[in-house]
């Protein structure tokens, strides 16, 4: 399965939504809307537009780190950090994904019901290199 993890700052020379449409056409499994710097009021319309773009393509929409937006648009999933997943009870009865930094964390979140796990170290290093 291939997940597209968004970062609108990395597609400065292209239209953010066009990139998502192209990824959908290419056969991705899911879009993880990961725009951590945006508050609910700004993230909600972006999420709604992406949900409309996805339509009935079968691609899943997963909201990163904003449970209120995930619930408001009835997203297919919610993604969060290891610490949030373990320490907070988040009522969300759909796909739940978790970023982890070790095998031990992966085992723990799997035991607590995570549907998928993202090993975050590689992603952070590559994102920093791309942005610089």
């Amino acid at each position: 399965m291939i997940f597209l993890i968004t970062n609108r700052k990395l597609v400065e020379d292209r239209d953010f939504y066009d990139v998502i449409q192209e990824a959908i056409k290419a056969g991705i499994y899911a879009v993880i809307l990961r725009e951590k710097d945006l508050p609910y009021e700004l993230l909600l319309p972006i999420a709604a537009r992406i949900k409309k773009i996805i339509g009935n393509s079968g691609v899943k929409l997963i909201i990163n780190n904003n449970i209120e937006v995930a619930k408001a648009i009835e997203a297919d999933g919610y993604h969060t950090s290891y610490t949030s997943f373990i320490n907070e009870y988040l009522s969300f009865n759909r796909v739940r994904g978790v970023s982890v930094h070790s095998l031990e964390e992966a085992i723990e979140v799997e035991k607590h019901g995570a549907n998928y796990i993202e090993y975050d170290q590689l992603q952070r290093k590559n994102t920093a290199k791309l942005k610089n």
Side-chain angles (χ1 to χ4, degrees), residues 68-130:
E68 294 82 14
V69 170
K71 288 179 178 181
I73 66 155
E74 298 181 354
D76 300 298
Y78 173 71
H79 187 95
T80 192
S81 69
Y82 166 81
T83 303
S84 293
F85 187 80
I86 294 300
N87 295 329
E88 301 171 12
Y89 176 75
L90 300 171
S91 176
F92 193 76
N93 295 324
R94 296 179 183 184
V95 173
R96 295 180 303 155
V98 183
S99 296
V100 299
H101 302 96
S102 69
L103 178 59
E104 293 78 18
E105 288 180 0
I107 291 168
E108 189 171 356
V109 298
E110 193 271 334
K111 286 180 183 176
H112 284 89
N115 299 102
Y116 72 88
I117 298 165
E118 174 194 319
Y119 182 68
D120 204 26
Q121 291 304 99
L122 180 63
Q123 186 241 353
R124 277 187 205 188
K125 290 178 185 174
N126 286 340
T127 300
K129 285 180 186 176
L130 286 171

Side-chain angles (χ1 to χ4, degrees), residues 3 30-33 60-64 75-79 95 116:
F3 290 65
V31 174
I32 298 179
L33 181 57
K60 308 295 183 210
L61 177 56
I62 299 168
I63 305 299
N64 185 87
D76 300 298
Y78 173 71
H79 187 95
V95 173
Y116 72 88

Side-chain angles (χ1 to χ4, degrees), residues 30-43:
V31 174
I32 298 179
L33 181 57
R34 184 182 186 272
E35 304 297 329
K36 289 183 166 188
D37 61 321
L38 296 179
Y40 174 89
E41 299 78 24
L42 297 176
L43 190 62

